[in-house]
Every structure is written in C-alpha cells, then in structure tokens.
C-alpha cells in the first residue's frame, strides 16, 4: 500500500502539517494543499503535552521542538487581585507518572517546526479546494485555481469551517459561545512581575478568564483574555473598552497589561458539536475539521498532532485505507469528543481543579 498510495492533505495548519510530517516519517508520499499564499499563524501561546511531544520525538524533531519550548511543571490559578488560589501540576496523560508537564510554545513556532520538516516541493500554496468528488475508493479534488488532482486518501485538515466535513460528514454550522478572545504577545518585563518563571497563570472569575503564558525562550508572554460578548462576527470590530470594562475590578497591574496592548487579535469564540462520522472509504477529517474545540482545556493543537501520529500508525498497520480510517476514527473519536465537551466549561475560581480530564486519565 505504502509506495503507490496517492495522499492529499487539505490544509497546512498544525493538523495538516503534522499529518504530512507523520506520514512522510512512516514512508508515505504526501502532497499538501493550502489555500493561503504563505504559511502564517496567529500569535498565541499553547502548552504541548507529553503525548504530543512524543510524536515530535518519533518524527525526528526532538531537538527542534525543545529549542522553541520550555518545560512547565505547574499552573497557578490567581484571584482577580493577583493572589495565588491554587497551584496544580499538569495532569498525567501518559503511563509515566514523571510526565506531568507541558512544553509552552508560541503557535507560530509550533507550525514553523512542522512546516520546516516538509520539503517545499510537496507543499502547494494558493490551492483553495473548491470541490471534492468521491469515486468509490479514490477522490478527485478541484481547486479554485483550476488544478485538479486525484488521491487514494484525502485528509481534510481544513479547519473549523472545513469544506471536506461539509461535503461528506456534517452540514452543521459552528457554534458561537457568546465570548470574545483577545490575544497578544507582550515582553516579559511589561507584565509587572505577574508572569515570571515557567508557570502558566490564570485568573478565572465567573465571567472573565485571563491567561498569562510565559514563552521563556522568546522573553515574551502570551496574554489571552476571554470576555462575554454578543457580537458573533468572526473577527469582531469592537472597541477595546468592551474588554477593559470587564477588568475594572481586577488588580491595577492586570488592567495596565491589557491597556498597554494596541494590537489585540480579537476573535469570537466558536467550536463545533461532536461529529459522528469522520471517515468513508478514502476521505477522513483531522484536527479542527474533525473536532474543533474551545481553548479552555488547551487541547486543540494537541489533539491535531496526536490525530496525525495515530493516523500514520493505523495506515502502516492496516491492509487497506478503509480499514486504517475505521481504526483511526475508532481510536480518536472518544478522546476528542471528551475534550470537546470538557472545553465548553469556562473556568472559575470556585473549582478545585483546572483539569477535569484528570478524572478520566488518572483513574485509567
Ligand atoms: C489564538 C488561539 C489559541 C489557541 N490555544 C490553544 C492551546 O492553548 N492549546 C491547544 O492545544 N490548542 C489551542 N488552540 C487551538 C489550536 O491552535 C487548533 O486546534 C489547531 O491549530 C488546529 O489546527 P488545524 O490544522 O486542524 O486547523 P487550522 O489551524 O484552522 O488550519 C486549517 C488550515 O486549512 C486551510 N484551509 C481551510 N479551508 C481550505 C480550503 N478550502 N482549501 C485549502 N486550504 C484550506 C486554512 O487556511 C488553514 O491553514 C488555539 C487556537 C487559537 C486560534
């Protein structure tokens, strides 16, 4: 199956790029098609968990990923007056009790690490998918630039508004959660001592979640503030005061951090309901296309990376593409649906854990 299989990956975000790296490492030929003219990523910090880091290591990217991350062993929940309410270790997501950490990284650095591992001749920019037609066990993909290609396996890694999902698996629209997320990077010395060291710090009130995620290797901090708002425009044009007003009872240093930023990336928060079927004989979904989730558990990118690793393993083991896709979907759906559901809970300072998934993983 390996040498002849024509594989098309649609989308070169963290999911599509991970799939390309994983499949190339497993010995498959892949072509990646991305609608954008250049690979760019929104500047926000994420925590890569041990199962994701294991895949980078497996794919030969351990040194590269360690260079652009640092290890964090705990998180802290703060009150809106900056008092520490709870210190908690990252949860145990593997069979190794020593792996209670996350490696903190900027999303762009995560994507660059993956993209740099894909030879440029296999990455086709300016290729926006217009239509996909399935003919039994292969599919024909048509792009807006007039190009048409055939593939024995199509991996729809085309994000929350996936055309692949819409054509084959679900027409349900993304769900708006009446929140706006404000994201920015600030220099560590502009955080008034609130974001030093390795620790992700979170203020979680009933309405507002404020994250300070240190990116030590960049000497920057990723600031992420989530506030309620009714404007459902994807990138809403709202005055900064809508967010600042929600912080008016916060410690003045939090307010100053927010006031000083002039280039907030503001997004309305959407996810999708769990999708019941991800695959047919030759087409499957991966990453946000399959299971877009809110950021509250910090698992969207992690799930995309782990999807890629497991899909490659399933393809290596199976006799046919259809069998591999069945196995991939069976392995991935339960954990992704769990995180989709858990991620719909916004955090508050009354909770006794930041990681409700512990109940499922640590008692396994
Ligand atoms: C600001 C922010 C903060 C986040 N924080 C975290 C976190 O802390 N932890 C975590 O694990 N996750 C986090 N996430 C979520 C995580 O980044 C996503 O889940 C992950 O990047 C999904 O990757 P993806 O490749 O599946 O989708 P995307 O990144 O959306 O990539 C999809 C790609 O497909 C392309 N595409 C779409 N349609 C077409 C088409 N028709 N033809 C060709 N190409 C197409 C798009 O241009 C895009 O490049 C965050 C997300 C955001 C936005």
């Amino acid at each position: 199956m390996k040498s002849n299989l024509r594989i098309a990956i649609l989308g070169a975000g963290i999911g599509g790029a991970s799939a390309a790296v994983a499949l190339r490492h497993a010995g498959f030929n892949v072509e990646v098609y991305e609608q954008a003219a250049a690979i760019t990523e929104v500047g926000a910090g994420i925590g890569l968990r041990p199962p994701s880091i294991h895949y980078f290591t497996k794919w030969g990217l351990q040194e590269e990923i360690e260079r652009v991350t640092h290890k964090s062993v705990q998180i802290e929940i703060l009150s809106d007056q900056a008092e520490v309410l709870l210190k908690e270790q990252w949860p145990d997501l593997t069979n190794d009790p020593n792996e209670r950490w996350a490696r903190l990284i900027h999303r762009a650095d995560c994507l660059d690490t993956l993209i740099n591992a894909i030879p440029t001749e296999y990455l086709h920019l300016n290729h926006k998918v217009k239509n996909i037609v399935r003919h039994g066990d292969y599919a024909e993909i048509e792009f807006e630039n007039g190009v048409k290609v055939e593939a024995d396996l199509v991996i729809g890694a085309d994000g929350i508004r996936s055309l692949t999902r819409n054509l084959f698996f679900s027409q349900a629209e993304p769900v708006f959660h009446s929140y706006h997320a404000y994201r920015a990077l600030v220099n560590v010395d502009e955080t008034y001592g609130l974001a030093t060291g390795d620790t992700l710090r979170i203020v979680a009130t009933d309405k507002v979640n404020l994250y300070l995620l240190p990116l030590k290797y960049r000497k920057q901090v990723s600031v992420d503030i989530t506030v309620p708002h009714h404007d459902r425009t994807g990138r809403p044009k709202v005055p900064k005061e809508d967010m600042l007003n929600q912080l008016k009872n916060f410690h003045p240093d939090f307010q100053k951090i927010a006031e000083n930023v002039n280039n907030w990336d503001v997004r309305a928060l959407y996810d999708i309901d769990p999708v019941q079927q991800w695959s047919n004989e030759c087409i499957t979904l991966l990453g946000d296309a399959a299971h877009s989730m809110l950021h509250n558990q910090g698992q969207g990118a992690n799930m995309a990376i782990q999807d890629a690793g497991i899909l490659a393993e399933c393809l290596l083991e199976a006799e046919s593409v259809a069998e591999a896709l069945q196995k991939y979907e069976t392995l991935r759906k339960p954990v992704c649906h769990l995180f989709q559901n858990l991620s719909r809970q916004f955090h508050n300072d009354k909770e006794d854990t930041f990681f409700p998934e512990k109940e499922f993983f640590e008692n396994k």
Side-chain angles (χ1 to χ4, degrees):
M1 176 160 85
K2 211 187 230 183
S3 55
N4 304 326
L5 206 63
R6 299 168 298 174
I7 302 180
I9 299 174
L10 311 182
I14 289 175
S18 298
V21 172
L23 290 166
R24 283 180 49 77
H25 177 262
F28 294 97
N29 295 317
V30 297
E31 304 286 341
V32 187
Y33 300 96
E34 165 60 45
Q35 64 183 359
I39 302 290
T40 52
E41 192 50 277
V42 176
I46 59 176
L48 291 179
R49 309 297 184 83
S52 305
I53 294 292
H54 286 317
Y55 278 116
F56 279 90
T57 305
K58 177 173 181 174
W59 302 334
L61 298 176
Q62 180 176 2
E63 206 179 299
E64 287 82 348
I65 201 70
E66 289 187 356
R67 196 171 54 237
V68 288
T69 53
H70 74 261
K71 208 184 246 187
S72 158
V73 291
Q74 68 174 14
I75 66 158
E76 290 178 358
I77 308 293
L78 308 188
S79 73
D80 55 11
Q81 298 309 307
E83 302 137 343
V84 178
L85 300 175
L86 178 72
K87 291 183 187 221
E88 197 171 11
Q89 247 190 301
W90 291 86
D92 179 9
L93 299 177
T94 67
N95 292 324
D96 182 348
N98 297 318
E99 293 196 317
R100 300 190 62 175
W101 45 260
R103 295 197 79 97
L104 306 185
I105 188 170
H106 184 272
R107 269 168 30 114
D109 296 334
C110 181
L111 184 57
D112 283 351
T113 304
L114 293 161
I115 292 287
N116 289 340
I118 306 168
T120 48
E121 62 265 38
Y122 300 111
L123 183 58
H124 309 280
L125 301 174
N126 287 311
H127 278 64
K128 180 170 185 174
V129 181
K130 185 174 162 194
N131 196 20
I132 308 168
V133 179
R134 181 162 75 93
H135 307 279
D137 62 357
Y138 76 97
E140 192 177 29
I141 305 157
E142 188 186 346
F143 298 92
E144 285 196 347
N145 60 13
V147 172
K148 287 185 183 175
V149 297
E150 288 181 358
D152 306 305
L153 169 57
V154 177
I155 301 172
D158 44 353
I160 184 170
R161 296 190 186 273
S162 166
L163 176 68
T164 317
R165 186 181 71 240
N166 189 272
L167 288 173
F168 298 98
F169 305 111
S170 167
Q171 276 85 47
E173 288 293 317
V175 180
F176 176 52
H177 289 275
S178 301
Y179 277 90
H180 285 174
Y182 287 70
R183 276 124 182 179
L185 286 175
V186 301
N187 291 329
V188 71
D189 50 13
E190 291 163 4
T191 57
Y192 307 98
L194 287 169
T196 51
D198 301 341
T199 302
L200 168 60
R201 305 183 99 190
I202 301 152
V203 183
T205 69
D206 285 341
K207 287 191 172 163
V208 178
N209 281 191
L210 184 154
Y211 291 62
L212 297 174
L213 185 144
L215 296 164
K216 219 169 149 188
Y217 64 99
R218 278 176 166 253
K219 298 187 175 57
Q220 287 181 311
V221 175
S222 168
V223 184
D224 193 316
I225 304 176
T226 314
V227 296
H229 208 291
H230 58 272
D231 184 338
R232 51 177 61 235
T233 316
R235 295 196 174 205
K237 299 265 177 287
V238 287
K240 187 163 96 171
E241 285 64 36
D242 287 5
M243 177 266 290
L244 295 177
N245 284 338
Q246 299 281 349
L247 303 185
K248 61 180 185 293
N249 295 325
F250 277 49
H251 188 285
D253 287 345
F254 289 128
Q255 298 188 44
K256 278 192 275 176
I257 293 172
E259 278 162 11
N260 291 346
V261 174
N262 293 317
N263 57 343
W264 286 108
D265 176 80
V266 189
R267 300 199 180 214
L269 282 186
Y270 283 85
D271 68 359
I272 59 172
D273 286 325
V275 176
Q276 294 317 318
Q277 189 193 342
W278 297 4
S279 312
N280 56 34
E281 282 87 336
C282 61
I283 302 172
T284 194
L285 301 175
L286 183 144
D288 276 13
H291 47 64
S292 172
M293 57 189 76
L294 296 182
H295 62 292
N296 292 322
Q297 289 303 316
Q299 283 287 356
N302 283 285
M303 288 298 105
I305 292 161
Q306 292 164 44
D307 286 350
I310 290 190
L311 177 58
E313 287 161 7
C314 290
L315 279 164
L316 274 181
E317 285 162 17
E319 299 286 320
S320 69
V321 169
E323 183 192 324
L325 297 187
Q326 267 299 293
K327 186 156 182 217
Y328 157 72
E329 184 172 328
T330 306
L331 289 172
R332 294 305 295 154
K333 247 182 2 199
V335 68
C336 293
H337 287 183
L338 171 73
F339 279 122
Q340 273 182 289
N341 287 324
L342 290 176
S343 298
R344 284 186 166 171
Q345 298 168 24
F346 285 80
H347 298 288
N348 66 67
D349 52 13
K350 320 278 180 310
E351 61 195 9
D352 54 11
T353 178
F354 195 74
F355 301 109
E357 73 269 27
K358 280 201 299 198
E359 189 186 326
F360 300 89
F361 288 91
E362 294 187 354
N363 300 328
K364 61 191 175 286

